[in-house]
Amino acid sequence: MELAWTVIPILIVVVLFMATARVIASIQKGARPANAIQVIAIGHQFWWEYRYPGLKVVTANELHVPVSDPAHPTPTFITLLSGDTDHSFWVPGWPVRPT
């Protein structure tokens, strides 16, 4: 009985680790589309810095994503970095439709 209480949680943790590692690996090797706007997001202690290398623009705390035409989509490729701390990063639900 005690062996089962030890082995079963270990197996659950191993399965969850393998699933998480597979998802993280697939995200990490995602290629940037050729027509994508590149954004480098750097998390600082109390704020976000967004750099647009192709446009030579830097903003603080505001991620600006261009409106994309469905016929000619313009994807945004975001690279996340951290200057001095760990941050959470989320993007609101898409598509946002104007009213």
Side-chain angles (χ1 to χ4, degrees):
M1 185 77 149
E2 289 182 23
L3 184 63
W5 288 350
T6 303
V7 172
I8 291 173
I10 289 173
L11 290 176
I12 291 171
V13 169
V14 168
V15 168
L16 291 175
F17 172 78
M18 296 301 288
T20 302
R22 193 180 89 214
V23 170
I24 290 174
S26 68
I27 289 172
Q28 291 294 324
K29 63 182 173 181
R32 180 169 67 107
N35 63 339
I37 293 176
Q38 182 180 7
V39 179
I40 300 172
I42 304 170
H44 294 281
Q45 189 170 5
F46 298 110
W47 61 286
W48 283 96
E49 175 183 356
Y50 297 101
R51 296 181 182 180
Y52 301 81
L55 303 174
K56 297 183 173 88
V57 173
V58 177
T59 63
N61 291 327
E62 294 182 4
L63 175 63
H64 296 272
V65 179
V67 175
S68 186
D69 179 20
H72 305 286
T74 306
T76 302
F77 190 83
I78 302 174
T79 303
L80 294 174
L81 302 174
S82 177
D84 53 9
T85 186
D86 289 333
H87 284 283
S88 61
F89 183 84
W90 61 276
V91 177
W94 299 100
V96 176
R97 301 188 192 280
T99 55

